[in-house]
Amino acid sequence: MTRDPQWHLRANKGNCAGTLPAGFTLVDSLVCVGIIGILASLLLIGITAVRERSRNLQCQNNLRQSILGLIQVADRQRKIPGLNSTLLSAERPHDDVVACNALIAIAKEISVPMRAQEKVIRFDDGKTGESFPPPMFTCPSTGDRNLATRLNLGVDPIFRVHEPNKFLFARRQVELLSVSDITDGLSNTAALAERPWQTNQSKIQRAIALDNTSESASVMERKTNCQVAYSSGLLYTTSQPGCPDWWSNPYDACYDHSRPPNNAHSDCLSNISSWGESRTATTTHVVISARSYHAGGANGAFWDGSVRLANNDIDADTWRALGTFNAADEVNDW
């Protein structure tokens, strides 16, 4: 059969315009823009997650450095450094500084240079302004240079003036304990954890309420009173506003295991004072939870030298058991 050489022209006659691609419509453009926006947002989320992962690793490395320094000084001195006063001398007269927590001992153990200047402890070349702690006690996730490493006070801790403290980081030299006193297991006993430095910002991750709950108040009453104080803006800040003394008051550098990390209830200090015949008796109830800006939990360092992330949903009894050192309480898997 003979094929007509013009058959393809006749077949497409009248349909030439249909063979040309139509231009992009407004709907097509909006769809493309939407797709590009979704891809950009996914990329941004990925970059943010990677950055936070890097910050979290840095926080863990800082805690690891701190716990190794703590173990070293406890092994060398055969005692766990406590909250007892330590005088740091200065070159100039009357510039001596009294430090009141074990962070100073840790920093000295790993040869962090420190000096006392005008009643302020400094580790860098700064001569005026705020006195920030060494980087090993900070966490980049907090967004500042303030203290983020805290000492474990145990469970439901209470400070009583002129009385011994019932936790590892004791106040007085005669009360200091050793690592051998940790009978619950080194891997099951927390030493340090994260918590951002307290400020007057009403953020639950940072704020510490200040109330006057009576010493006989129940846990529920204390919880309610602390929340009322927090809601009314009655907050504890620092020993000297505008100059964070990261070495001074014991609760400026501590946390406790009464409640799991990053819990929804406000933290609190309850100061109760009474006057006897010869002296004033002050009792301080401490409820300062481990907190962080990491997604899902907060990092903790343990007496075996390990650093682990404790999830926010960790079993409350397990978290409390990790806070004790000689209670023979059971630590479940976490």
Side-chain angles (χ1 to χ4, degrees), residues 56-99:
N56 187 28
L57 288 175
Q58 183 61 54
C59 292
Q60 292 179 340
N61 288 336
N62 289 349
L63 270 178
R64 188 170 290 107
Q65 187 179 7
S66 298
I67 186 61
L68 292 179
L70 177 59
I71 292 173
Q72 288 174 12
V73 69
D75 181 65
R76 184 175 57 82
Q77 297 181 355
R78 299 186 182 277
K79 293 291 183 181
I80 296 173
L83 305 180
N84 53 305
S85 299
T86 302
L87 180 67
L88 295 184
S89 59
E91 294 181 0
R92 294 175 52 184
H94 310 299
D95 274 358
D96 295 346
V97 174
V98 175

Side-chain angles (χ1 to χ4, degrees), residues 152-264:
N152 172 28
L153 288 185
V155 178
D156 301 327
I158 297 176
F159 289 92
R160 286 191 176 92
V161 175
H162 310 301
E163 291 187 20
N165 302 134
K166 296 181 173 63
F167 39 81
L168 282 174
F169 298 101
R171 278 187 193 234
R172 299 170 188 161
Q173 192 69 28
V174 295
E175 300 160 1
L176 294 183
L177 302 174
S178 67
V179 175
S180 61
D181 292 309
I182 303 175
T183 57
D184 287 349
L186 300 182
S187 61
N188 292 330
T189 304
L192 308 169
E194 294 179 289
R195 192 191 189 282
W197 182 255
Q198 60 266 22
T199 69
N200 56 4
Q201 302 173 7
S202 57
K203 295 181 179 179
I204 199 167
Q205 294 100 328
R206 290 182 177 271
I208 297 178
L210 186 63
D211 82 321
N212 58 352
T213 303
S214 66
E215 187 170 355
S216 60
S218 65
V219 174
M220 185 57 66
E221 289 173 333
R222 189 172 299 116
K223 171 183 170 182
T224 300
N225 291 346
C226 286
Q227 191 61 41
V228 170
Y230 171 77
S231 300
S232 62
L234 183 58
L235 304 177
Y236 170 81
T237 53
T238 62
S239 302
Q240 297 179 14
C243 182
D245 297 343
W246 53 274
W247 66 85
S248 55
N249 285 338
Y251 32 81
D252 281 349
C254 296
Y255 81 103
D256 70 270
H257 280 249
S258 303
R259 303 177 304 191
N262 293 315
N263 66 89

Side-chain angles (χ1 to χ4, degrees), residues 11-50:
N12 291 329
K13 185 177 181 181
N15 195 35
C16 293
T19 63
L20 298 176
F24 273 98
T25 66
L26 177 61
V27 174
D28 295 331
S29 301
L30 292 176
V31 169
C32 290
V33 171
I35 293 174
I36 293 173
I38 292 173
L39 293 176
S41 63
L42 292 176
L43 179 62
L44 181 61
I45 292 174
I47 293 175
T48 303
V50 170

Side-chain angles (χ1 to χ4, degrees), residues 275-321:
W275 289 265
E277 294 181 358
S278 59
R279 60 189 179 185
T280 301
T282 302
T283 301
T284 303
H285 293 273
V286 180
V287 184
I288 304 177
S289 304
R291 297 187 183 276
S292 79
Y293 286 97
H294 307 311
N299 292 308
F302 296 78
W303 281 100
D304 64 346
S306 64
V307 175
R308 288 170 278 174
L309 181 74
N311 293 328
N312 296 337
D313 57 357
I314 186 174
D315 178 72
D317 291 335
T318 297
W319 181 248
R320 290 169 70 90

Side-chain angles (χ1 to χ4, degrees), residues 4 6 28 64 98 100 124 141 200 231 234 268 324 327 334:
D4 182 356
Q6 302 296 320
D28 295 331
R64 188 170 290 107
V98 175
C100 297
D124 53 17
S141 294
N200 56 4
S231 300
L234 183 58
C268 190
T324 59
W334 58 285

